Amino acid sequence: MIRLTGVELRRLTARRITMIGVAGVVLITAFLLFVTWREARPLSEAEQRQSQVQFESSHKEWAEHHVENEAECRKGWDQNANPGAKMEEVCAYPEPKAEDYGKPQAKFAELIPNLLQGSSYFLLFAGFLIGASFVAAEFSSGAIGNWLTFEPRRMRVYGSKIAAAGLWFVPVAVVITGVVTLGTYLITAQLGSTAGTDWSDVIGTAVRVVVTTAMGAVLGSVVGLILRHTAAAIGVVMGYIVLVEAVFGSFLQSAQPWLLGKNFDAFVLHDTTYYLNNCKVQTNDGNYVCETIEKTLTFEHGAWYLGILTLVAVLLAGVIFQRRDVN
């Protein structure tokens, strides 16, 4: 099994689409860091002066009229016209602050979770695409039949291919997450702030990105084996994203905890949030009022969801490969 996996790893490395996929990931990573650098740059002196002028003007306006504005708002308050709102919140005119004007300082602790999450998406896609092509190409070309004459024990062949797809992407994901983390740190250290960084959270997120990348490659290999065509595998994934995640998920909000995308985010980010609309008819005036409720999807839920999904997919593909004719 170890020798077979080593052979599959060398075959996967030698494929042209693998190198193209890795090159694409590197280019996207470089572009991501370039955009981060552009966004982290502070305002020019002229822009800073303009922001200061706007702040001083707004503060002067607030100092002269905020008491009068609050009094007029309270006097004209109509609860029926603002169902569910509180007068104290609507009629509050907070004092303008200088930090609210201009461009906020780039902070490493705030940027890195989103950047690692973005990296997890294109690493997942690359792993899935290359994994699906790696297995499906052998069925399209008929090479799998020749390979089984050399090693007729199908489960060993199947296991080596799945293992090779997952293992190959581990160092790739480690390098990419390391480059994103280090690059972002250097950018914010020069142009922003690195204070308040919890490195245990950063490293934990990076490790989870590596895990999801390997899982994506394994699932790609499984789907490629079942459908036997790379284009079909990509079509199934795109269909799921459009029909289930986008259309079905937007209409049936209560199903969000069972969508793949939400559980993926919950695992990578160690908890994520989603929103539900709670609508009801008020008993006092009969108005139909909706309020938005924030829910938390836990890391544990996402981990179990992805783990079970991957395990079931691997077992199902193994049964199919064991029983189905390869021709």
Side-chain angles (χ1 to χ4, degrees):
M1 181 69 177
I2 296 177
R3 292 180 61 188
L4 285 176
T5 304
V7 171
E8 297 294 348
L9 286 170
R10 290 193 294 271
R11 291 181 60 251
L12 182 55
T13 304
R15 302 192 76 237
R16 181 181 302 175
I17 191 173
T18 303
M19 295 299 102
I20 293 175
V22 172
V25 168
V26 171
L27 289 176
I28 294 174
T29 302
F31 178 75
L32 194 65
L33 291 175
F34 173 72
V35 172
T36 302
W37 172 77
R38 284 184 57 88
E39 292 298 321
R41 289 185 304 172
L43 296 175
S44 64
E45 293 184 3
E47 291 172 328
Q48 291 178 10
R49 288 194 298 269
Q50 183 180 1
S51 297
Q52 182 64 25
V53 171
Q54 292 175 344
F55 163 69
E56 292 174 354
S57 175
S58 299
H59 193 274
K60 180 180 179 181
E61 175 72 19
W62 176 86
E64 294 177 352
H65 301 290
H66 80 278
V67 175
E68 177 186 349
N69 292 336
E70 289 182 8
E72 290 182 359
C73 179
R74 292 174 181 272
K75 182 179 179 180
W77 176 259
D78 184 1
Q79 183 65 48
N80 293 328
N82 301 274
K86 296 181 180 180
M87 182 178 65
E88 293 76 10
E89 297 177 355
V90 175
C91 294
Y93 288 82
E95 181 180 2
K97 298 179 181 179
E99 56 266 25
D100 296 332
Y101 289 78
K103 188 176 184 179
Q105 185 183 46
K107 297 181 180 179
F108 176 77
E110 296 176 357
L111 289 176
I112 194 60
N114 293 329
L115 291 174
L116 287 177
Q117 183 187 20
S119 301
S120 69
Y121 292 148
F122 63 76
L123 281 170
L124 177 70
F125 179 76
F128 183 91
L129 173 63
I130 295 173
S133 174
F134 173 55
V135 176
E138 291 197 69
F139 285 93
S140 299
S141 65
I144 187 65
N146 294 331
W147 185 239
L148 288 175
T149 60
F150 172 77
E151 174 52 81
R153 290 171 293 186
R154 291 196 176 195
M155 285 300 95
R156 287 170 60 87
V157 172
Y158 172 70
S160 65
K161 292 183 180 298
I162 297 299
L167 290 174
W168 198 91
F169 273 93
V170 169
V172 174
V174 169
V175 171
I176 294 299
T177 54
V179 169
V180 170
T181 303
L182 179 60
T184 305
Y185 183 85
L186 294 176
I187 290 170
T188 51
Q190 181 183 10
L191 303 176
S193 172
T194 59
T197 301
D198 187 343
W199 283 104
S200 62
D201 285 346
V202 175
I203 295 173
T205 303
V207 169
R208 292 190 292 273
V209 172
V210 173
V211 172
T212 55
T213 303
M215 292 174 64
V218 169
L219 289 174
S221 300
V222 166
V223 175
L225 184 146
I226 294 174
L227 299 180
R228 301 188 175 189
H229 202 287
T230 306
I234 297 175
V236 167
V237 172
M238 297 304 296
Y240 171 82
I241 293 174
V242 173
L243 296 178
V244 179
E245 294 281 339
V247 178
F248 180 75
S250 62
F251 281 106
L252 191 59
Q253 293 184 335
S254 59
Q256 291 184 76
W258 304 106
L259 296 178
L260 178 59
K262 284 296 180 183
N263 283 277
F264 179 85
D265 289 341
F267 179 75
V268 171
L269 298 176
H270 206 286
D271 294 347
T272 189
T273 57
Y274 63 97
Y275 299 92
L276 298 176
N277 289 327
N278 182 25
C279 300
K280 59 183 178 180
V281 178
Q282 293 185 326
T283 56
N284 56 343
D285 55 14
N287 287 333
Y288 188 69
V289 179
C290 294
E291 61 176 343
T292 301
I293 302 175
E294 182 180 291
K295 296 281 189 178
T296 299
L297 191 62
T298 64
F299 162 76
E300 292 77 12
H301 190 284
W304 278 105
Y305 183 100
L306 295 179
I308 292 173
L309 173 66
T310 303
L311 178 61
V312 170
V314 169
L315 293 177
L316 176 62
V319 172
I320 292 175
F321 185 63
Q322 178 70 20
R323 296 178 176 272
R324 192 168 66 177
D325 190 352
V326 297
N327 293 323

